[in-house]
Amino acid sequence: MTEQSFDNPTTKYHQDGFPPADIAPPGLTEQTHPAPDHGEDTYLGAARLTGKRALITGGDSGTGRAVAIAFAREGADVAIGYLPQEEPDAQTTKEWIEKAGRRALLLPGDVRDESHNQHLVDQTVETLGGLDIVIANAAYQRNRPDLDQMDTDEFDRVMKTNLYGTFWLVRAALPHLAPGSSVIVTASIQGYNPSDALIDYAMTKAALVAFTQALSNQQGPNGIRVNAVAPGPIWTPLIPATGWPDKLPKFGQDTPLGRAGQPAELAGAYVYLASEAASYVSGAILPVTGGKHL
């Protein structure tokens, strides 16, 4: 049996800050430098999700792509939702899913549209033959000025994407989820330790923590587990598209591990929560924060 070595987590990935950048939302992987690691060359599956059917919103890049790759390599078929302007990234994610020998379903649209969330679920069930795992991951954030200068339309965009989209998606999915199914929400350290520059985003992430815990209580008797992953500073296209170029050179440097995380470092948390290894885990908020406390 080959002995597995462990990497020093402080030096495993990019240890410095990132170059100043301010790309237009939602941001694409090709615009993100250095390129994020989604586990394309590193994630090894172990048949933990064989035969499962998963739906991931925001599945084109960043956290969503890393989870899609990991799920596929664990044996799941994967549907991904994404904005139409993210089509190039979605096509790349599709290629990685199919390289793992699994079916990939691309579902462009906007989760701010209530009917689109129903469409996501209906098409996944029809095409993949059912639905076992729901990942509510789509999110939007922008750097904010003082509250008295915040734009209502932008506030509404954050609320509709992060909160309404999650509510509509999970509501549509529940009738299709059998006992043993799993709902996983992408929360954030911002839900516990909010930044004033992300005040509206932080509000939604705190609400998603409450949503996760309340829904886990409601759905526990039905055998449906509901959990969340709370990332810390993770290097995804969302970050340079947030509108804070001056903050990027120090992004992630304030964690105990001294660096930003990569999407690939989140994937295992989602796999664990979706798998039978977590059969007695529900209502949990799993931090992946580089050592920052929730």
Side-chain angles (χ1 to χ4, degrees), residues 112-133:
R112 290 179 292 171
D113 178 355
E114 181 176 359
S115 64
H116 176 62
N117 289 276
Q118 187 67 55
H119 174 74
L120 287 171
V121 171
D122 290 346
Q123 288 300 304
T124 300
V125 170
E126 179 180 341
T127 304
L128 302 185
L131 181 59
D132 306 293
I133 306 165

Side-chain angles (χ1 to χ4, degrees), residues 131-254:
L131 181 59
D132 306 293
I133 306 165
V134 179
I135 310 294
N137 174 68
Y140 176 71
Q141 70 177 34
R142 286 289 285 174
N143 186 51
R144 299 306 187 197
D146 289 342
L147 189 66
D148 60 358
Q149 301 175 46
M150 280 184 60
D151 181 79
T152 298
D153 288 341
E154 274 288 289
F155 180 81
D156 189 57
R157 180 175 179 179
V158 172
M159 295 294 147
K160 284 288 184 69
T161 302
N162 301 3
L163 285 184
Y164 282 58
T166 297
F167 165 70
W168 287 327
L169 177 75
V170 176
R171 185 182 66 181
L174 282 174
H176 301 279
L177 299 181
S181 297
S182 181
V183 174
I184 305 174
V185 174
T186 298
S188 171
I189 195 172
Q190 287 289 325
Y192 296 85
N193 185 16
S195 166
D196 59 347
L198 294 174
I199 186 169
D200 48 352
Y201 177 85
M203 289 169 65
T204 65
K205 293 302 182 175
L208 288 175
V209 169
F211 173 80
T212 299
Q213 294 175 331
L215 189 65
S216 71
N217 290 339
Q218 181 191 94
Q219 294 300 316
N222 297 325
I224 298 170
R225 297 183 299 104
V226 184
N227 296 288
V229 176
I234 305 296
W235 184 241
T236 72
L238 181 68
I239 302 306
T242 296
W244 51 19
D246 295 340
K247 295 184 179 182
L248 296 188
K250 295 183 178 180
F251 181 69
Q253 302 296 294
D254 61 342

